[in-house]
Amino acid sequence: MNLPEDIGRTHPHLEGDLPFVLSSHSVRILKALSQLRVGEYRRSRPVCLHIAAAAGSGKSRLLNHYMSQDSAVREATGSRYREAILIEAPYDGNCMKMCRSIINACLPGFPIRKTQNIHEQVADVLQASGVKQLLIDEAGHILNAGKSGQQYTLALIKSICNLGITVCIATTRNMVNALAADEQLASRFKRVELPVWSESNEFRQFLAGIEVELKLPERSHLDSKTMIRWLAAHDCCVTFRLLEVVLGAARLANSRGEGRISVELLDEFWKSGFGVEERSHED
């Protein structure tokens, strides 16, 4: 996709990603994560959270935003303990790699001891680091490890829960059945979902929040019926695609000296190659 080279120069905030924009759904999940971290620590069967949503719905952005809040509190208080840690499950679902990621998130560079069971090492490091909550992004990758590999990793998650540490996994909906098949884990995880957007008050509020972060000189009225219907007609109903299209149109507006996003600019950005690229990825 070829866009003007001067895009973003007059408005540096249009470069890179927009700041995290809250929605009613993400607020509920962020509150639940905070409450679980505080209220479930050291319980014999802590309640855990399963964030299930379509690809591109903003699961990773939500978890990273949550972690940025936790890091800010830790820096302000000067605490050396990491109450919450975030890892990404390896693509092949390998449990040993996941264990290394957990240990490294707690104590970067800490050596793995070959003479001790890796699950025991994970437990020791988590407890020594004061971890109350483990967040696992892309946890659906566990399914790529085959049946025996899945069972080994699910056993790791159970053992972490048994330490009184609440776990949150973020996956697409392909992980729902795998959890349901394990009665012990299924009873521990509460499932919440991020939406595929449709015309609603929640969607309008989310679009209004995006417009605030764009900081364009004039109102674009992204929350209007005209804009929402354009977005719905072009399948911009998952957060990632929605942000890509709106931000792309905002950069076009900025490069042209226009003060707002219009339907015409959305069309131009879409036809410049983004829509074709999206369809080819899906095919």
Side-chain angles (χ1 to χ4, degrees), residues 102-113:
I102 294 171
I103 291 172
N104 198 54
C106 295
L107 299 171
F110 189 79
I112 304 296
R113 297 186 295 274

Side-chain angles (χ1 to χ4, degrees), residues 22-25 28 195 197-207:
L22 291 169
S23 68
S24 58
H25 303 278
R28 283 195 292 270
W197 294 109
S198 59
E199 190 168 348
S200 62
N201 287 333
E202 288 82 4
F203 191 26
R204 292 186 192 94
Q205 291 167 4
F206 185 59
L207 290 169

